[in-house]
Amino acid sequence: MKKVIIIGASSGLGRELALHHIKNGNIVGIAARRENLLEEIRQINPSNVFIQKMDTTKAQAKEQLLSLIEQMGGMDLFVYCSGKGYVNKEMDIDKEIQTVEVNVYGFTQLINIAYHYFEEKRKGHIVGIASVAGIRTLSICPSYCSSKRYNIMYLKALGQLAKNKKLNIKVTTILPGFVDTEFVKTKYPLTISLEKGGNLLYKSIEKGNKRAFFPQYWSIIAFFMLIIPSFLWKKII
Ligand SMILES: NC(=O)c1ccc[n+]([C@@H]2O[C@H](COP(=O)([O-])OP(=O)(O)OC[C@H]3O[C@@H](n4cnc5c(N)ncnc54)[C@H](OP(=O)(O)O)[C@@H]3O)[C@@H](O)[C@H]2O)c1
């Protein structure tokens, strides 16, 4: 039985992931701002599910994570799934800043707590949800694509650090394609259902690889995104 903490589990991919772990009999800690939605999930198995109302952009989120770990009697897997992002052609500053606060500041402060916790135990598994949007510049969402690039680089660096220190800490970067959640307002081509997305996310994390695209064909699309010359990329985007 694993002890799993998922930040950003009130809806979308985080919620689906939590449901998979609950079904598999794991001890699950879930956090987000919408406590009522967390409570609904807790009702599925009140003795195995712990909830924590949390805004990852606030400094107290660090203490709240430590308290959740304590309530659960430990943690084996940490997943940062909270995310914000907007199509923001009008460059509304509030949207830009909100994205950075959740995807960069919140991500960094909570991954840091998880890292130190696992460093002390000398083992553990850290997962961050980046995006295929972090592969190359997207002019319609500067803050979102940059924040996802940050997630990719940060997790890679953290994995290298753990390896250099000879710690048995796995670090996994997940790069989802389009999944039908509250987050995605437009039905882009290749959008998959939330159920399928949750299932693929669960399986990708269980494999424990350093990097996982889902659906897997996004690894091929990402390859082409990277090799397209800049002048052509600017035209497409
Ligand atoms: N859906 C896609 O196509 C897609 C593609 C690539 C990557 N992703 C990534 O997948 C992750 C999950 O997104 P989703 O699609 O499942 O969207 P979602 O349904 O909107 O879920 C986002 C989650 O983030 C939480 N969150 C937002 N702001 C927060 C804050 N300040 N503090 C704590 N939690 C916060 C939300 O909870 P509360 O509002 O209750 O706080 C919610 O649980 C994100 O990182 C997103 O960038 C999604």
Side-chain angles (χ1 to χ4, degrees), residues 10-11 13 33-34 55-56 82 144 148 177 179 181 183-184:
S10 55
S11 63
L13 288 167
R33 292 167 306 173
R34 289 170 293 176
D55 182 340
T56 67
S82 293
Y144 185 66
K148 291 296 164 179
V179 185
T181 65
F183 184 76
V184 183

Side-chain angles (χ1 to χ4, degrees), residues 121-136:
K121 288 204 327 176
R122 302 195 66 80
K123 63 174 183 171
H125 189 180
I126 296 173
V127 177
I129 316 294
S131 169
V132 293
I135 300 288
R136 205 141 177 200

Side-chain angles (χ1 to χ4, degrees), residues 24-93:
N24 289 334
N26 290 328
I27 303 285
V28 183
I30 48 176
R33 292 167 306 173
R34 289 170 293 176
E35 202 176 10
N36 58 323
L37 298 181
L38 299 177
E39 183 53 36
E40 276 175 23
I41 301 172
R42 197 180 74 86
Q43 287 310 320
I44 298 169
N45 188 344
S47 53
N48 277 14
V49 180
F50 296 79
I51 65 171
Q52 175 65 57
K53 183 176 162 67
M54 179 192 292
D55 182 340
T56 67
T57 70
K58 306 286 183 231
Q60 64 261 36
K62 299 196 290 289
E63 291 307 318
Q64 290 167 339
L65 173 57
L66 287 169
S67 147
L68 189 57
I69 296 171
E70 201 181 315
Q71 283 176 61
M72 291 168 61
M75 168 175 76
D76 305 302
L77 167 65
F78 174 82
V79 184
Y80 189 85
C81 202
S82 293
K84 273 270 169 217
Y86 301 92
V87 169
N88 194 13
K89 289 187 214 166
E90 54 295 332
M91 288 300 286
D92 175 339
I93 186 63

Side-chain angles (χ1 to χ4, degrees), residues 158-228:
L158 200 63
Q160 286 167 355
L161 180 69
K163 192 170 177 225
N164 291 346
K165 288 189 175 180
K166 300 195 176 1
L167 301 167
N168 186 17
I169 300 175
K170 280 191 279 189
V171 181
T172 301
T173 308
I174 304 284
L175 295 107
F178 302 121
V179 185
D180 190 7
T181 65
E182 287 172 17
F183 184 76
V184 183
K185 310 279 184 271
T186 316
K187 265 265 177 168
Y188 295 105
L190 302 180
T191 298
I192 59 168
S193 71
L194 178 55
E195 194 190 354
K196 187 168 181 193
N199 200 18
L200 290 172
L201 174 61
Y202 175 76
K203 285 183 180 157
S204 306
I205 294 174
E206 289 309 292
K207 277 189 193 155
N209 292 337
K210 284 187 194 143
R211 199 156 111 134
F213 286 91
F214 79 77
Q216 240 192 334
Y217 51 71
W218 274 100
S219 62
I220 298 162
I221 300 172
F223 172 77
F224 285 106
M225 282 166 77
L226 280 170
I227 61 165
I228 289 173

